[in-house]
Structure formats: C-alpha cells, structure tokens
C-alpha cells in the first residue's frame, strides 16, 4: 500500500465554511450545519490523531474546542428554534469526504511521522479559526446588524470572540509543541 503524505492543504480541505445567504435564517442554517460538523466530525478526528500520536493533552484541546463549536450552534438555535437538523451543505459534505479520504492513510502516517501530522493539524486548526473570526462570521454579524437583527448580530459577535480564543489556544499549543520538539532534538541521546 502506497501512503500519500498528508499535507496542510489536504487537511484544510476538511474545513467547511458556512455560507452567507440573503436571509438570516438560511445563513443561520448553514452556520449550524458547519458548527455541528466541527463539533461532531472534524475536531474529534483531530483529537483521535493526537491521541493516536501520543499527545493526550492536544487531544483534550481539540475536544474542548469541539464542545465550544457545538455551543455556537446552540446559541443560534435559540434564535431560530425551527432550524431542526439542517440539510447537509455541499461544502460540509465535501469536507466530510476529504476527511474520510485522509483517514484511510492517517494511522499509518502517524506511525511514520506522528509529529508532522500533529503539527499540520494544529496549523490547519489555526487557519480554520482565523478564517472564521476574521472573515466569515464578522460578515454574518455585519449583515445581521444592517438588517436590524440585533440579537442575531450579538450571537455572531460572541462566536467571533470565541473563534478568536480558539485560534489563540491553537497558536499557543503549536508554539509549545514546536518548542518541545526543538528541546527533544537538543537532548543528548
């Protein structure tokens, strides 16, 4: 079996972006779909990788963020109680398919280069969270404000703040991870 190296681009393909629509409820439905995907699929898989690679603390961090992604969906469901189970978005399905493809080789690749896979997962997590808090959700907030949906805008602002915190946690984790790798390389054998 030939193993394909897992790249940051491949992992970033597992990111599903919520789609903005002309009306708040359609945007909210896409948002809930994506946040629940991050909660149920993406971050739990990253946690599994970290645990498999021998980094239980990083696994806990991925699961902590997964739990907060679920909370984001809960906040918006409070405004749109009739969302129900959102239809799987095309972008979310593409991300699920990408993650499924990566999973085929992941455990073997972790055995060969555990640190490389984990470093890439952390880098992607940073990129995901930064894109959400810098670009995607501020647009949703601003659109809600412009339409006079102040409660909805407040929820998106809470999400922006939360996603910024997630990015900071992942940046700190990546810095500590890299420092531990450097320290380990400097230790005499």
């Amino acid at each position: 079996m030939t193993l394909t190296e897992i790249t940051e681009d491949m992992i970033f393909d597992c990111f599903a972006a919520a789609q903005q629509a002309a009306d708040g409820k359609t945007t909210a439905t896409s948002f809930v779909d994506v946040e629940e995907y991050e909660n149920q699929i993406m971050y739990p898989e990253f946690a599994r990788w970290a645990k498999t690679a021998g980094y239980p603390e990083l696994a806990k961090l991925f699961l902590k963020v997964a739990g907060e992604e679920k909370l984001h969906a809960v906040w918006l469901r409070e405004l749109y109680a009739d969302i129900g189970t959102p239809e799987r978005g095309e972008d979310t399905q593409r991300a699920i398919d990408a993650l499924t493809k990566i999973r085929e080789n992941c455990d073997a690749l972790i055995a060969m280069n555990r640190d490389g896979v984990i470093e890439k997962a952390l880098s992607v997590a940073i990129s995901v969270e930064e894109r959400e808090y810098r670009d995607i959700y501020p647009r949703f907030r601003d659109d809600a404000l412009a339409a006079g949906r102040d409660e909805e805008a407040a929820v998106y602002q809470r999400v922006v703040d939360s996603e910024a915190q997630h990015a900071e946690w992942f940046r700190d984790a990546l810095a500590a991870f890299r420092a531990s790798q450097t320290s380990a390389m400097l230790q005499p054998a």
Side-chain angles (χ1 to χ4, degrees):
M1 174 174 150
T2 303
L3 297 178
T4 303
E5 179 186 352
I6 295 175
T7 66
E8 281 184 41
D9 286 342
M10 289 172 70
I11 299 172
F12 195 72
D13 281 344
C14 299
F15 170 59
Q19 302 299 311
Q20 191 168 9
D23 67 289
K25 184 176 179 184
T26 303
T27 299
T29 300
S30 176
F31 170 87
V32 168
D33 176 45
V34 167
E35 294 297 301
E36 289 182 348
Y37 158 76
E38 290 180 3
N39 163 259
Q40 298 168 9
I41 299 171
M42 188 180 81
Y43 282 129
E45 181 64 12
F46 289 6
R48 189 185 72 77
W49 297 354
K51 186 176 180 184
T52 300
Y55 296 104
E57 292 305 312
L58 291 177
K60 287 179 188 174
L61 175 59
F62 284 123
L63 291 175
K64 177 180 180 175
V65 172
E68 292 198 6
E69 300 297 345
K70 174 68 173 183
L71 186 58
H72 300 166
V74 168
W75 293 340
L76 210 57
R77 281 179 185 276
E78 290 173 354
L79 294 177
Y80 292 100
D82 58 341
I83 285 179
T85 302
E87 184 176 319
R88 177 67 66 211
E90 190 176 303
D91 199 44
T92 306
Q93 187 58 55
R94 179 209 39 80
I96 290 169
D97 293 343
L99 195 57
T100 301
K101 185 173 177 122
I102 288 172
R103 190 178 290 142
E104 294 171 7
N105 290 329
C106 194
D107 289 346
L109 288 169
I110 288 171
M112 292 170 44
N113 182 8
R114 70 185 187 131
D115 295 342
V117 171
I118 299 308
E119 183 171 4
K120 289 172 185 169
L122 285 167
S123 294
V124 167
I126 293 166
S127 296
V128 164
E129 300 299 321
E130 286 179 345
R131 184 168 174 209
E132 288 179 335
Y133 88 82
R134 290 180 179 167
D135 177 43
I136 297 170
Y137 297 144
R139 283 188 286 118
F140 291 9
R141 176 204 57 217
D142 295 347
D143 184 56
L145 281 172
R149 299 186 310 266
D150 294 342
E151 281 184 276
E152 184 178 321
V155 169
Y156 284 125
Q157 183 58 54
R158 286 171 61 196
V159 173
V160 166
D161 296 342
S162 180
E163 302 292 17
Q165 180 68 63
H166 297 167
E168 183 178 327
W169 290 341
F170 286 132
R171 281 191 294 269
D172 290 347
L174 181 58
F177 181 80
R178 286 178 173 161
S180 72
Q181 300 314 106
T182 302
S183 176
M185 290 183 346
L186 298 175
Q187 297 296 320

